[in-house]
Amino acid sequence: MTIGRIRASVLVAALTVAVLSVPSAHAAVTKPQKCTLAIAKASLKFVSGKLKILQKCRNAQLTDGSCPTPSVTAITKVNDKFTGALTKPCGLTLAELQGIGFPGPCTDPNPGDGFTTADLQACLFAVHDAFVTLAFDIAYDPTVTGPLGDDIKCQAEVAKQTFGYSTCVLKNIQKCRDAILKGKALGVAPDFCATNGKTSAAITKCIDKMTDGLGKKCNTTQIGTLKVCNPDQPDVASSVSCVIDALTVKIDGPEIIVPPDLIDYQYAVRGGLCGDLVVNNLNEECDGPDDSACPGQCGTAEVPDGLFACLCKTKPRMVTFEHANADTDNGFRGLSVDGDVVEGGGYIVDLYDCDMTGLCNAGPHCSLSPFSSCAVPKESPSGTTSDSICDDLGEGVCRKERTATGPHCFQDINVKCDEKNPNDPVCTGPGNFCQTSFHGAPVAAAAGGIAVCNVSTFTEDVVGTVNLTLGTSSLKVRQAAVTYQPLSQSKPCPVCGGFCDGGARDRCDATHPCAPGMGPCIEEAVCSDGLRKNKACRRTPPFGGEIPFFGTTSVDCLPDPAGGTFTDQITGGLDINSNPRTTGTASMTRGPNCTQTGYQNKTCMGGTSANRPCTVASECPGGTCTGQCYCTNQVRPNDCGRACVDGANDATPCTDDTDCPGGFCHPGDCRLDPGDMDSNQEAVCTNSPPDRFCSLTTYKTCNSAAECQPSVACPFCQVGETCDNKLRACFATDEIIRIGSPGNPDRETVAVYCVPKNNGAIDLSAGFPGPGALIQRETVYVVP
């Protein structure tokens, strides 16, 4: 279980999770925000009103041919009413329009003159009129002509329910968005309005209404005759599904794809996505040609996948791009070792105070000498400001960019908010919320054959020092890790594609088809489960990637908090503090007393009597007398059995000292493993517990080779696998050491830390509280 690195990291500039604040009172809506509310109201009236005009005429034409074209007067009236409704509330200055995100997805027809109210009206009319045409064509196939006779009842119901569903979705998502804009307490991010409880329930009722209405007024023959939806559908159930699929994506579809949907236009957003070529999000400094902050220096050509996407390359900053072949070891039990991560993770730090040797301060630092860090500690109360740290030190103000990783209010990065509280009241005002940066996409992992899903977020700003000349770094990286119950043992986390469409939505691929009745295998990039089930997702670095045995996870596919966790989400999960994470050497010596009987005594560390029991230092010539554990409240040093140390029976199992003439019986003997070549200072138990794992599907425990063959219990096992004995890993008896490697641009950073108590099930499986260690291979990129 990769707890020290419980994540598949991604670039912080690309990844944020938004949770709404709960102001003590609803904040006043500003004049520009009234424009947004007016747009939503007018848009709903326009879509509903124009569809009714078209519907009435088309039904009459299909009944008796009495309405070949809709009334020009009626159409003109509804068109003019739409644009007219925006004239006064959206009669704003360019700065005011930009303040609420416009032009947003709209194209500015005259960039040199600035985006105007008239430009806004023209854009919004065009996109909503196009949607009306789309919805009309879904309800009425143009090749169907009248008179329809009795079939007109079915056709009229198809149109009624299709248009009703359109306005239902639009109305309810607008209601959610408007409540957010007004500062009401919803506890849901804007992008997740459609999956919010009340909104989702209302939309479900509309779907049920459509299904019931078509079921009463239409039969299978009529559905086929009327060519309902596009492509034509054979029955009521498929017609309902087709209408939902066709319209939902146009009203409020996945925020990470183009073209924009109606909600994107109405609220001037693209779901926070960099790459819409307009600066319409506080996380963006520039976006393609919208680069007034740094003309010609907006990163990068490959938006949104570029390492400095929508950031100015004129500011000194560094991206750490992490590679999958990491080595993570966590917990005293030795069952969560040699873990990988997902390719392409990392974080961005801004650089300050670089000197002639190439040494720079990384992350938020005060503006005056000695330029102390102004990262707000995790323990600081919510509402603490970064500037207050510098003010208390007499070092000016905090220099901090939006790339900073720690939890902060979206509209004021200077204010620390409580990532444990999704309704932190310090982030007041419409559109404000507590922004927390993911330290990666969900990570599927296993320890002792128990699979879980891990999600991590930064709990402090990443800060430290880097030397651009020598390729060295020493950074503090602190994160909270939440461990979720697995969806299944073969699919612990939601995956981005590669899952069966029926039943439990198990994993599948070209060589592992779905079980009968559970297919087909969905290969397109959509989430299998969680808050964004069936929505589009990104599965290439830095947004996601393949995890051996468990499929492709994505930052766009988070587990559903309602699905249950091992850790308490409200308390923020495990506190992992990698300080320092360095290209040098990281180490930790044992010292605390263990809590389990038989390991509570002290032993000699170093010297000629290493590992022998002791009570005072004089009993340890050349060494010290200290506790056997590394971390506070750790139960025992490792999971090793008893073995002789020194003497004629060295390294053989023992019961007590009488079995070890010339030596002593060590209760948990652990020795460096000379055969481990992919790390440094790896160790294994001299007397190992009986661990058996499948030879290729290495996370699965077994008793025989038969349990490692393809089956329902192990669908991704391979033919011919064996069930192999494996020595239990452990941390070296006296000192944990990991050695980094400086370099430009490629380097290795290391960290050693303690993993705190989690919960009974996972503590027992992995061995927490206990030590953790990381070796991370990475590449760094620096601008300018």
Side-chain angles (χ1 to χ4, degrees):
M1 200 148 340
T2 56
I3 300 292
R5 279 254 310 173
I6 297 186
R7 45 94 179 113
S9 313
V10 291
L11 306 181
V12 65
L15 304 177
T16 56
V17 60
V19 291
L20 295 181
S21 65
V22 179
S24 56
H26 298 167
V29 177
T30 65
K31 177 184 175 183
Q33 289 165 344
K34 289 180 180 179
C35 170
T36 301
L37 297 174
I39 289 170
K41 183 177 181 180
S43 298
L44 181 62
K45 287 185 176 181
F46 173 75
V47 169
S48 176
K50 193 160 188 175
L51 283 174
K52 285 181 180 179
I53 294 172
L54 299 178
Q55 177 185 8
K56 182 178 179 180
C57 179
R58 186 61 175 166
N59 286 347
Q61 180 67 14
L62 293 175
T63 300
D64 56 20
S66 60
C67 188
T69 58
S71 166
V72 174
T73 301
I75 294 294
T76 301
K77 182 178 180 180
V78 75
N79 290 350
D80 291 345
K81 191 172 183 179
F82 175 45
T83 54
L86 306 183
T87 301
K88 182 177 179 179
C90 295
L92 306 172
T93 66
L94 174 60
E96 288 174 326
L97 287 172
Q98 290 176 334
I100 52 175
F102 290 106
C106 292
T107 300
D108 186 350
N110 300 294
D113 298 333
F115 193 73
T116 67
T117 300
D119 295 332
L120 176 66
Q121 291 170 308
C123 170
L124 294 178
F125 173 78
V127 297
H128 286 83
D129 197 48
F131 175 79
V132 168
T133 300
L134 169 73
F136 184 80
D137 289 343
I138 289 173
Y140 295 96
D141 189 284
T143 65
V144 174
T145 59
L148 292 182
D150 290 341
D151 289 348
I152 189 60
K153 294 181 181 179
C154 173
Q155 177 63 83
E157 189 67 19
V158 168
K160 175 183 175 182
Q161 297 300 338
T162 298
F163 302 159
Y165 177 75
S166 298
T167 55
C168 170
V169 175
L170 194 55
K171 175 182 177 180
N172 283 286
I173 292 177
Q174 284 178 346
K175 184 177 181 180
C176 173
R177 289 270 189 166
D178 289 352
I180 293 171
L181 192 63
K182 294 175 183 177
K184 293 183 178 180
L186 293 178
V188 60
D191 289 339
F192 294 127
C193 268
T195 55
N196 180 43
K198 291 183 179 179
T199 308
S200 177
I203 293 173
T204 298
K205 284 185 178 180
C206 294
I207 293 173
D208 292 342
K209 183 179 179 181
M210 176 164 47
T211 303
D212 184 61
L214 294 188
K216 290 179 178 179
K217 296 294 180 70
C218 299
N219 57 45
T220 300
T221 301
Q222 290 172 324
I223 292 292
T225 300
L226 297 174
K227 302 179 181 180
V228 176
C229 204
N230 185 18
D232 302 342
Q233 298 299 310
D235 52 45
V236 168
S238 61
S239 296
V240 171
S241 295
C242 179
V243 169
I244 293 170
D245 292 342
L247 293 178
T248 303
V249 72
K250 297 297 183 180
I251 299 170
D252 186 31
E255 62 274 13
I256 60 171
I257 64 171
V258 292
D261 51 53
L262 291 188
I263 291 296
D264 292 337
Y265 278 102
Q266 292 172 12
Y267 295 87
V269 296
R270 282 293 300 120
L273 176 66
C274 167
D276 58 10
L277 308 183
V278 179
V279 176
N280 54 11
N281 188 297
L282 287 175
N283 285 328
E284 299 177 350
E285 296 174 340
C286 56
D287 196 342
D290 192 355
D291 61 356
S292 59
C294 46
Q297 292 295 312
C298 187
T300 88
E302 292 77 33
V303 291
D305 294 334
L307 296 177
F308 298 96
C310 293
L311 296 176
C312 289
K313 295 189 292 184
T314 54
K315 298 182 179 181
R317 50 182 37 136
M318 181 180 80
V319 165
T320 296
F321 191 87
E322 298 169 338
H323 299 299
N325 60 334
D327 188 301
T328 62
D329 306 300
N330 295 287
F332 71 79
R333 289 202 66 196
L335 292 171
S336 180
V337 297
D338 298 332
D340 292 335
V341 297
V342 174
E343 178 75 12
Y347 44 85
I348 295 176
V349 289
D350 285 88
L351 304 178
Y352 304 98
D353 315 312
C354 298
D355 63 21
M356 297 299 292
T357 70
L359 182 65
C360 307
N361 286 322
H365 278 75
C366 297
S367 60
L368 299 179
S369 179
F371 309 117
S372 301
S373 163
C374 48
V376 181
K378 179 179 184 291
E379 292 78 13
S380 296
S382 181
T384 302
T385 66
S386 302
D387 282 341
S388 68
I389 295 175
C390 298
D391 185 56
D392 289 344
L393 295 171
E395 296 181 21
V397 297
C398 182
R399 294 168 295 176
K400 185 175 183 179
E401 302 285 344
R402 297 204 69 87
T403 53
T405 57
H408 57 262
C409 293
F410 182 64
Q411 293 184 358
D412 188 354
I413 61 173
N414 189 45
V415 179
K416 177 196 181 281
C417 53
D418 187 357
E419 80 283 352
K420 297 175 294 185
N421 179 7
N423 301 312
D424 191 346
V426 302
C427 302
T428 59
N432 207 1
F433 51 83
C434 183
Q435 177 169 300
T436 305
S437 303
F438 289 114
H439 199 174
V443 173
I450 300 176
V452 294
C453 184
N454 300 311
V455 178
S456 289
T457 55
F458 290 102
T459 55
E460 289 183 11
D461 297 323
V462 174
V463 291
T465 59
V466 300
N467 191 301
L468 303 180
T469 303
L470 301 178
T472 59
S473 62
S474 180
L475 300 169
K476 182 179 182 180
V477 181
R478 194 171 185 183
Q479 61 192 29
V482 178
T483 304
Y484 287 79
Q485 297 276 12
L487 295 170
S488 70
Q489 287 300 302
S490 62
K491 192 189 70 176
C493 299
V495 294
C496 182
F499 61 92
C500 300
D501 195 31
R505 297 164 74 88
D506 291 331
R507 279 197 62 217
C508 58
D509 60 26
T511 58
H512 300 85
C514 299
M518 294 292 104
C521 184
I522 303 300
E523 298 181 1
E524 62 187 295
V526 295
C527 298
S528 64
D529 304 90
L531 294 175
R532 299 190 69 256
K533 181 177 179 180
N534 294 328
K535 286 195 172 186
C537 50
R538 295 163 287 186
R539 53 188 177 191
T540 56
F543 304 106
E546 178 75 15
I547 297 177
F549 310 119
F550 299 127
T552 298
T553 61
S554 169
V555 73
D556 302 310
C557 304
L558 296 176
D560 186 344
T565 64
F566 285 123
T567 54
D568 181 359
Q569 242 194 329
I570 301 302
T571 62
L574 298 175
D575 178 21
I576 308 300
N577 190 356
S578 298
N579 185 25
R581 180 164 160 178
T582 177
T583 53
T585 298
S587 64
M588 179 166 55
T589 57
R590 61 185 175 88
N593 290 326
C594 303
T595 62
Q596 183 173 316
T597 301
Y599 300 92
Q600 295 171 325
N601 62 297
K602 297 181 179 181
T603 63
C604 293
M605 183 169 65
T608 56
S609 298
N611 300 318
R612 291 180 182 271
C614 65
T615 55
V616 294
S618 60
E619 296 175 326
C620 306
T624 59
C625 182
T626 186
Q628 299 184 54
C629 281
Y630 284 102
C631 302
T632 303
N633 296 320
Q634 185 176 334
V635 174
R636 53 186 289 171
N638 52 50
D639 226 18
C640 301
R642 306 175 72 88
C644 291
V645 176
D646 297 331
N649 294 335
D650 183 58
T652 60
C654 59
T655 301
D656 53 41
D657 288 351
T658 61
D659 295 324
C660 308
F664 68 96
C665 186
H666 194 301
D669 192 43
C670 172
R671 306 189 185 191
L672 295 179
D673 181 8
D676 191 300
M677 305 301 292
D678 68 344
S679 181
N680 51 58
Q681 214 224 6
E682 299 276 14
V684 292
C685 295
T686 308
N687 180 14
S688 179
D691 292 335
R692 306 195 76 193
F693 293 89
C694 295
S695 56
L696 299 177
T697 312
T698 52
Y699 77 93
K700 188 178 185 328
T701 57
C702 59
N703 293 306
S704 66
E707 296 178 20
C708 299
Q709 307 310 303
S711 65
V712 174
C714 190
F716 282 79
C717 282
Q718 300 181 38
V719 175
E721 285 197 56
T722 56
C723 182
D724 298 344
N725 293 318
K726 183 179 180 181
L727 291 175
R728 181 72 62 87
C730 55
F731 285 103
T733 303
D734 288 345
E735 185 177 20
I736 303 172
I737 301 173
R738 294 294 186 269
I739 303 172
S741 178
N744 279 321
D746 300 318
R747 62 185 63 174
E748 291 183 1
T749 58
V750 295
V752 177
Y753 43 84
C754 281
V755 183
K757 180 179 176 62
N758 182 18
N759 147 291
I762 193 172
D763 289 348
L764 180 64
S765 173
F768 302 143
L774 162 71
I775 299 177
Q776 178 63 64
R777 285 87 184 185
E778 59 193 38
T779 302
V780 297
Y781 302 87
V782 180
V783 295

